[in-house]
Amino acid sequence: MNSLAFIAGVVLLFASERYFQGTSATIWLRSVSAIMIAAGLLLDLAEQKGWVRKEMRRPGLGWQVAWKLLLTSGVITWAVWQFVPNGPTGPLGGHLWRILLGLWLVLVITGLATGFAVEWASRHTSGTSDPSRITKAWQAGLATGMLLCSLVALNYAAVRRDITRDWSYLKVTAPSEATINVVKASQSPVSLALFFQRDNEVLPYVESFVQQLASAANAGGEKIAIKVIDKDMDPAAAEKFKTSRSGIIIAEAGTRTERIDLGPTLATARPILKKLDSEIQRILIALTSREKNAYVMRGHKELSPDVDSNGSPLASSRLFEGFLRDLNWNLKTFGLAEGSATKVPDDAAMVMLIGPRESLMKEEVEALKEYAARGGSLFIALDTEGRQDALNPWLASIGIEFDPLPVANERSHVTATRSPADNWILFTTSFGSHESTKTLSRNDDKIALLTFASGSFSITPDVAGWRNTITVRSLTDSFIDRNRNYAFDEKSEKRGSVAIGVASANTGGKDGKMVLAADSAVFSDALIRNPGNLAFAADAIKWLAGEQALAGKMADEEDVRIRHTGKQDLIWFYGSIIVVPASVLLAGAVTIRSSRKRRRKDAKS
């Protein structure tokens, strides 16, 4: 009877909060439920202490009191959790709210599980016979409750992180916004010839992709046409495009053609199908856009594509420069031998300076200054380990000052080495609405920019005919690590968002443009695979080239290693994978050990 009153009180309490919260009946229902819970617990406690029914104590009464105390503590914790100010946005950044949430759920679930087991065993145990049965029921109920807690925690973690898995044999990316924009911006129509037999196993994947592309890009005009050709049935077309086998995509615009060779089987086509969006985008850009010259400065220990396989991926720009070529840029080396101290060639659509660790000569800076003044475009990424005695004064004269001290964050960072150095590996989703970060700002809930040992900028918005705009900021709990010890020092450092990306435009009548990044590692082989870094590079380059219409998010084609950030909910994460399962194993070990001791004692007696 006591247990029925106790459970009824718990049910009434939760029901009142669920269905009558905010009404005049809430206080009365809370009071009644509290009385029922207290009465059920106190009556059993009084009997267990011998205050009542001394001669007829029920078997396993101590375990009945124990599960009610467990459940009562869960109810009390739940009540405290209900009144935490501001919920998940309250004190300690919401951590207190989450700790109490996890605690009351564990206490309530284990309390109910042990209570059910103990009460069931008690009903089937008469007199004082076999009291160990109730003890075993308690242990089994506790283990079951902990297992249920484990499942709840794992489910919560999966839902919060939106974890999905694609178990299909093959996954082909859909046309990205960037690829669709390339077709829409094309001045001439594009035709795609798919050389496949109708029963070919690769054709459905390719045809589905290009039809989606045509459907999205043809709104407002016939920008793209699709034709499936069997080379055996149409030898004239095969001759025209000089193809002798199936498994080929040929794109044609005017008199220009580009092709993608997938092969006739899934085994050969699969690697390309997984990155079909970037391959289609590459050939479309080659067909529809003019080739542009980008002069890449060398001779100052910049990032280089020539780093050998033993070199650090943070020092290599091989992937970045390959990406530029896919965007139809012709890359030319620009050093002292090519006249970098004299003048930037007239055919330069952009000059790039990526991660110089040695200072430029004054004459080289003067050449860049003159190039920007006559309407040139500069793409500059600086390095915290570099010295720029000649470049920094010029940037400061137009309102941009570079601070080479690294930005750190011990709360929000990417866990890579599990050492203090991880505090320099940062991510950010704080982007401006500038054209050079168009894709990032529109997708800041999906993608983030990764940096490593980034410096920072201070700007004056309008100076000397240049308008400066902050395009990327660090998170607000970051700080400049002035003593480079990876830790926050309250006396000498302060938290706050700092600029790590800047766009600058000449307002003095010339169309000069600059994009500056405070971290050259953003474009290194180590980080450029990250979708946010790739989007930052693509939009910045398209803005510098006056091709903003082509900007857009690219498909995530390659599997990128996912790492947990330092600010993630560690309590839930580690509770899901370590603490709760370990508790279940511990409960099992205690049960087995207790049973063995009891058997030894019975054997001796």
Side-chain angles (χ1 to χ4, degrees):
M1 193 67 181
N2 297 344
S3 298
L4 287 176
F6 181 85
I7 288 295
V10 173
V11 172
L12 180 61
L13 177 62
F14 283 102
S16 65
E17 294 298 324
R18 176 66 177 84
Y19 298 106
F20 299 97
Q21 190 174 29
T23 67
S24 58
T26 303
I27 296 177
W28 292 103
L29 290 172
R30 287 176 180 171
S31 301
V32 171
S33 60
I35 292 171
M36 295 173 69
I37 292 171
L41 175 62
L42 292 176
L43 287 174
D44 276 353
L45 187 61
E47 184 178 348
Q48 195 245 348
K49 294 293 185 182
W51 299 333
V52 295
R53 299 179 63 180
K54 295 182 180 180
E55 295 80 10
M56 298 182 61
R57 289 178 59 186
R58 288 172 289 157
L61 188 58
W63 292 119
Q64 290 181 326
V65 172
W67 78 259
K68 288 173 185 173
L69 283 172
L70 191 64
L71 187 53
T72 302
S73 61
V75 171
I76 294 172
T77 306
W78 169 79
V80 174
W81 171 78
Q82 285 279 88
F83 295 100
V84 171
N86 300 322
T89 60
L92 302 178
H95 291 311
L96 176 60
W97 186 86
R98 292 184 179 89
I99 291 171
L100 291 175
L101 170 62
L103 184 59
W104 81 255
L105 281 172
V106 170
L107 291 172
V108 168
I109 291 173
T110 53
L112 289 173
T114 53
F116 177 81
V118 169
E119 293 298 326
W120 179 269
S122 298
R123 294 295 180 269
H124 294 78
T125 302
S126 59
T128 59
S129 62
D130 196 16
S132 64
R133 181 174 180 176
I134 299 177
T135 303
K136 291 177 181 178
W138 160 268
Q139 294 168 344
L142 182 62
T144 302
M146 297 301 289
L147 181 60
L148 290 173
C149 291
S150 173
L151 295 176
V152 170
L154 288 171
N155 181 68
Y156 175 85
V159 171
R160 292 289 293 176
R161 286 160 180 79
D162 194 21
I163 298 172
T164 59
R165 294 290 184 269
D166 186 352
W167 297 103
S168 60
Y169 171 72
L170 180 64
K171 179 181 178 182
V172 180
T173 56
S176 67
E177 181 185 3
T179 302
I180 294 169
N181 288 342
V182 169
V183 179
K184 288 181 176 180
S186 173
Q187 298 300 313
S188 57
V190 177
S191 64
L192 291 176
L194 313 180
F195 279 87
F196 292 92
Q197 294 176 340
R198 265 298 169 188
D199 59 350
N200 186 277
E201 60 183 351
V202 181
L203 178 60
Y205 299 104
V206 177
E207 193 171 23
S208 173
F209 179 91
V210 296
Q211 284 177 351
Q212 290 180 63
L213 177 60
S215 176
N218 280 341
E222 290 300 319
K223 290 287 189 179
I224 189 168
I226 303 166
K227 186 176 182 181
V228 179
I229 301 174
D230 185 336
K231 69 175 184 62
D232 297 326
M233 302 298 293
D234 192 347
E239 177 65 25
K240 174 185 175 183
F241 292 110
K242 295 181 173 56
T243 179
S244 60
R245 60 193 185 92
S246 297
I248 295 175
I249 302 173
I250 296 180
E252 183 181 27
T255 59
R256 303 168 65 185
T257 61
E258 292 285 339
R259 67 174 56 205
I260 302 173
D261 190 348
L262 292 90
T265 65
L266 278 177
T268 57
R270 184 174 183 176
I272 298 177
L273 285 174
K274 292 176 67 176
K275 55 178 183 178
L276 188 58
D277 180 72
S278 66
E279 289 294 311
I280 292 288
Q281 184 183 137
R282 176 183 60 80
I283 63 173
L284 290 177
I285 290 175
L287 289 175
T288 60
S289 66
R290 61 183 177 83
E291 187 177 66
K292 304 167 289 292
N293 293 323
Y295 282 77
V296 185
M297 297 197 73
R298 304 286 191 219
H300 314 92
K301 293 187 178 180
E302 297 93 344
L303 267 65
S304 168
D306 302 324
V307 176
D308 60 37
S309 58
N310 296 323
S312 170
L314 288 168
S316 174
S317 61
R318 181 179 58 84
L319 295 178
F320 178 53
E321 295 193 12
F323 172 66
L324 289 172
R325 292 188 178 91
D326 288 343
L327 294 179
N328 214 23
W329 284 88
N330 180 34
L331 304 186
K332 295 186 176 183
T333 298
F334 191 47
L336 291 175
E338 292 76 26
S340 62
T342 306
K343 180 183 178 181
V344 176
D346 293 333
D347 65 343
M350 176 173 61
V351 174
M352 308 189 74
L353 179 63
I354 312 295
R357 292 203 168 191
E358 292 182 351
S359 181
L360 277 66
M361 297 173 58
K362 290 182 179 179
E363 292 80 3
E364 290 179 304
V365 174
E366 286 298 320
L368 294 179
K369 181 178 178 181
E370 185 272 335
Y371 170 69
R374 57 184 164 95
S377 297
L378 295 174
F379 188 97
I380 300 174
L382 299 176
D383 192 291
T384 55
E385 298 296 328
R387 289 187 57 190
Q388 295 304 323
D389 298 334
L391 181 64
N392 286 339
W394 172 51
L395 294 178
S397 70
I398 60 174
I400 304 171
E401 296 187 16
F402 176 64
D403 186 345
L405 293 173
V407 181
N409 194 323
E410 84 284 17
R411 299 173 178 173
S412 306
H413 59 263
V414 177
T415 302
T417 65
R418 300 196 178 279
S419 69
D422 288 347
N423 295 341
W424 285 4
I425 309 176
L426 307 186
F427 65 92
T428 183
T429 56
S430 180
F431 310 116
S433 57
H434 193 268
E435 288 288 343
S436 65
T437 50
K438 182 179 179 180
T439 301
L440 291 174
S441 60
R442 287 165 53 184
N443 297 277
D444 58 359
D445 59 330
K446 303 173 185 175
I447 53 179
L449 183 72
L450 299 184
T451 67
F452 174 71
S454 174
S456 60
F457 292 113
S458 299
I459 70 162
T460 304
D462 292 284
V463 177
W466 287 87
R467 178 163 298 158
N468 305 311
T469 306
I470 295 175
T471 58
V472 183
R473 291 181 178 274
S474 67
L475 298 182
T476 54
D477 52 356
S478 305
F479 60 92
I480 297 176
D481 193 3
R482 301 197 175 280
N483 55 9
R484 296 176 177 263
N485 66 345
Y486 308 111
F488 178 66
D489 302 307
E490 292 188 7
K491 295 182 179 180
S492 59
E493 298 164 352
K494 65 177 182 178
R495 298 188 187 276
S497 178
V498 296
I500 56 179
V502 172
S504 185
N506 193 326
T507 59
K510 297 292 184 179
D511 194 26
K513 297 177 181 178
M514 283 192 288
V515 168
L516 299 101
D519 178 24
S520 60
V522 167
F523 311 105
S524 68
D525 288 359
L527 302 183
I528 194 63
R529 288 187 178 93
N530 175 57
N533 294 43
L534 203 59
F536 179 45
D539 281 5
I541 290 166
K542 289 168 184 175
W543 177 69
L544 290 172
E547 297 175 342
Q548 299 94 309
L550 303 183
K553 187 183 178 185
M554 290 163 286
D556 302 339
E557 304 136 2
E558 191 169 348
D559 292 335
V560 179
R561 187 177 183 183
I562 303 300
R563 298 185 185 272
H564 294 285
T565 66
K567 199 177 181 180
Q568 285 180 328
D569 201 341
L570 296 179
I571 294 172
W572 279 107
F573 179 71
Y574 289 114
S576 300
I577 66 172
I578 297 175
V579 177
V580 177
S583 300
V584 174
L585 293 175
L586 180 62
V590 170
T591 300
I592 294 171
R593 187 178 181 86
S594 299
S595 299
R596 287 176 177 173
K597 284 184 177 180
R598 195 160 37 251
R599 283 197 297 269
R600 292 193 192 104
K601 185 182 293 186
D602 293 341
K604 289 179 180 179
S605 62

